[in-house]
Amino acid sequence: MKHILLAAALMLPLPAHAQEIGQITEIASGLNGPWSIGFLPEGDVLVTEKRGKLWRIARDGTRREITGLPASEDRGQGGLFDVLPARDFAANGRIYLSYAKAGAGTAVSMARLEGDRLVDVIEIFEMQTDSTGGRHFGGRLAEADDGSVFLTIGDRGDRPSAQDPARHNGSIIRIDPERGSVAITKGHRNPQGLAFDASGQLWAHEHGARGGDEINRIEEGKNYGWPIISYGRHYSGAKIGEGTAKDGFEQPVFYWDPSIAPSGFAIHSGTNWPDMQGRFLVGSLKFDHIAVLAAGGREQTGMIQSRETQRVRDVREGPEGGIWFLSEGRGALYRIDPK
């Protein structure tokens, strides 16, 4: 474990003391395609790798591999995705994993973590689709206060399917482990961030094409427009759909143009860091930074950028208010602490 002073890296129009953000601590390195972070009550951290590995990382950076995982398919953008320890993990050891399932699509399993092994693994969701491409799986998870689990699913590279009610493509799904699942929204291209704010409101961000990455306030029954409306264009430069707005489709709260390729999403509680309260933190795979947006997500106020923020794949608020992130480019897990 090593510490790196983060000097002049927080470029925000904030009070001067907020620019002296403190330091980045490297927690673990040597990770191969890291994808997601999950915190355990006793202080260990779970980290997934896209190729199908799950690691338990101690506070001193030592790591042990977790065995007993459900099978995932490492193909294209598919693989092992999110790890989500349940809110009641201390009572039952329950975690959720999302992944690309061979011959199907995005799936979710529930299991119990006993030491360094998963037991009682049960698949609780499998995507209904006939798409076979290797793109736009989504795969982000979030848990509501009532224990419901929410999952993002992309269009799988099959644009019209995001508007097809018979398929899960382009949806955000609510999963009740006891009663099944239901799609609550449609019209998403590839949602790679999902988080609840302090009031219990669910938010998501997603990749546009060439421009048009979006932040959306998620409300049940709403359609977010892809591919009928978009603020981006096809990679060829051709127009997408019918324009940027149309009756019956939701507008994003914020969009990026050019695209930043967003991945990972945290809405900071302000714990031990009052200047961050309510701020949206979004990793950028394309421009190697963490975008910082004002509470409510309507304005980007700056970014956290350093040599450690290469292809930020996940961003989370830690148990004590630190900002944890995974750098895919550096194959490492880091924590940023306030000064």
Side-chain angles (χ1 to χ4, degrees), residues 37-47 54-59 64 66 83-96 111-118 317-320 324:
I37 305 166
F39 299 101
L40 298 178
E42 70 271 22
D44 287 354
V45 182
L46 299 177
V47 172
L54 176 61
W55 299 100
R56 183 175 192 147
I57 301 176
R59 295 184 184 191
R64 305 189 304 273
I66 304 297
V83 56
L84 176 66
R87 292 176 182 272
D88 57 358
F89 176 90
N92 55 33
R94 181 185 300 146
I95 71 167
Y96 300 95
R112 286 191 302 111
L113 179 60
E114 290 189 352
D116 296 335
R117 180 171 177 79
L118 297 184
E317 179 187 350
E320 298 177 353
W324 294 63

Side-chain angles (χ1 to χ4, degrees), residues 1-5 23-30 39 43-45 56-63 307-308 320 324 331-337:
M1 185 183 295
K2 62 182 179 180
H3 304 285
I4 306 113
L5 182 64
Q23 67 183 16
I24 297 179
T25 300
E26 181 187 277
I27 305 299
S29 60
F39 299 101
D44 287 354
V45 182
R56 183 175 192 147
I57 301 176
R59 295 184 184 191
D60 63 2
T62 58
R63 56 179 167 153
R307 64 183 181 179
E308 288 73 38
E320 298 177 353
W324 294 63
L333 171 66
Y334 297 99
R335 184 186 69 238
I336 308 174
D337 295 305

Side-chain angles (χ1 to χ4, degrees), residues 207 260-263 283-289 311-313 328:
H207 287 226
I260 68 166
S263 188
S284 169
L285 293 166
K286 184 176 180 181
F287 292 127
D288 300 336
H289 66 252
R311 283 187 62 82
V312 176
R313 176 58 73 176
E328 187 179 282

Side-chain angles (χ1 to χ4, degrees), residues 23 29 42 84 88 93 95 104 106 113 126 132 141 148 158 167 175 193 225 234 244 265 271 281-282 288 290 313:
Q23 67 183 16
S29 60
E42 70 271 22
L84 176 66
D88 57 358
I95 71 167
T106 309
L113 179 60
E126 180 184 314
T132 59
L141 295 168
S148 298
D158 179 3
R167 294 189 280 177
I175 305 168
H234 292 300
T244 59
F265 192 8
T271 300
L281 304 167
V282 177
D288 300 336
I290 299 171
R313 176 58 73 176

Side-chain angles (χ1 to χ4, degrees), residues 129-145:
T129 184
D130 56 8
S131 301
T132 59
R135 295 185 291 154
H136 301 177
F137 289 87
R140 289 294 180 188
L141 295 168
E143 185 183 12
D145 287 339

Side-chain angles (χ1 to χ4, degrees), residues 82-328:
D82 237 348
V83 56
L84 176 66
R87 292 176 182 272
D88 57 358
F89 176 90
N92 55 33
R94 181 185 300 146
I95 71 167
Y96 300 95
L97 290 167
S98 61
Y99 49 93
K101 181 179 178 180
T106 309
V108 177
S109 281
M110 177 176 68
R112 286 191 302 111
L113 179 60
E114 290 189 352
D116 296 335
R117 180 171 177 79
L118 297 184
V119 298
D120 299 335
V121 180
I122 302 170
E123 186 176 279
I124 59 173
F125 174 80
E126 180 184 314
M127 181 181 183
Q128 296 300 308
T129 184
D130 56 8
S131 301
T132 59
R135 295 185 291 154
H136 301 177
F137 289 87
R140 289 294 180 188
L141 295 168
E143 185 183 12
D145 287 339
D146 67 0
S148 298
V149 175
F150 290 78
L151 167 72
T152 68
I153 302 178
D155 68 3
R156 298 293 308 282
D158 179 3
R159 290 191 295 270
S161 69
Q163 293 295 330
D164 184 349
R167 294 189 280 177
H168 284 135
N169 302 53
S171 300
I172 292 177
I173 306 292
R174 183 178 65 237
I175 305 168
D176 184 315
E178 303 298 329
R179 293 187 289 272
S181 62
V182 62
I184 65 165
T185 63
K186 287 291 287 182
H188 302 284
R189 184 174 182 267
N190 189 23
Q192 288 288 297
L194 192 66
F196 285 96
D197 66 18
S199 72
Q201 173 62 52
L202 185 61
W203 299 82
H205 67 62
E206 63 185 85
H207 287 226
R210 185 174 163 186
D213 296 345
E214 298 180 354
I215 290 180
N216 286 298
R217 179 187 174 100
I218 300 303
E219 297 181 356
E220 188 165 356
K222 299 296 180 67
N223 191 310
Y224 292 82
W226 177 261
I228 296 171
I229 62 170
S230 175
Y231 281 88
R233 303 184 75 85
H234 292 300
Y235 293 112
S236 66
K239 178 182 175 182
I240 294 173
E242 300 177 26
T244 59
K246 186 177 180 180
D247 288 347
F249 299 108
E250 298 302 301
Q251 284 289 297
V253 169
F254 181 84
Y255 70 91
W256 285 273
D257 191 4
S259 296
I260 68 166
S263 188
F265 192 8
I267 302 174
H268 206 284
S269 69
T271 300
N272 294 324
W273 205 335
D275 288 326
M276 281 292 177
Q277 186 172 4
R279 292 184 183 271
F280 287 21
L281 304 167
V282 177
S284 169
L285 293 166
K286 184 176 180 181
F287 292 127
D288 300 336
H289 66 252
I290 299 171
V292 182
L293 293 92
R298 296 186 178 277
E299 176 188 11
Q300 182 172 336
T301 57
M303 65 183 71
I304 299 169
Q305 189 169 38
S306 73
R307 64 183 181 179
E308 288 73 38
T309 57
Q310 291 182 18
R311 283 187 62 82
V312 176
R313 176 58 73 176
D314 199 12
V315 183
R316 306 277 175 158
E317 179 187 350
E320 298 177 353
I323 299 171
W324 294 63
F325 69 94
L326 285 171
S327 166
E328 187 179 282

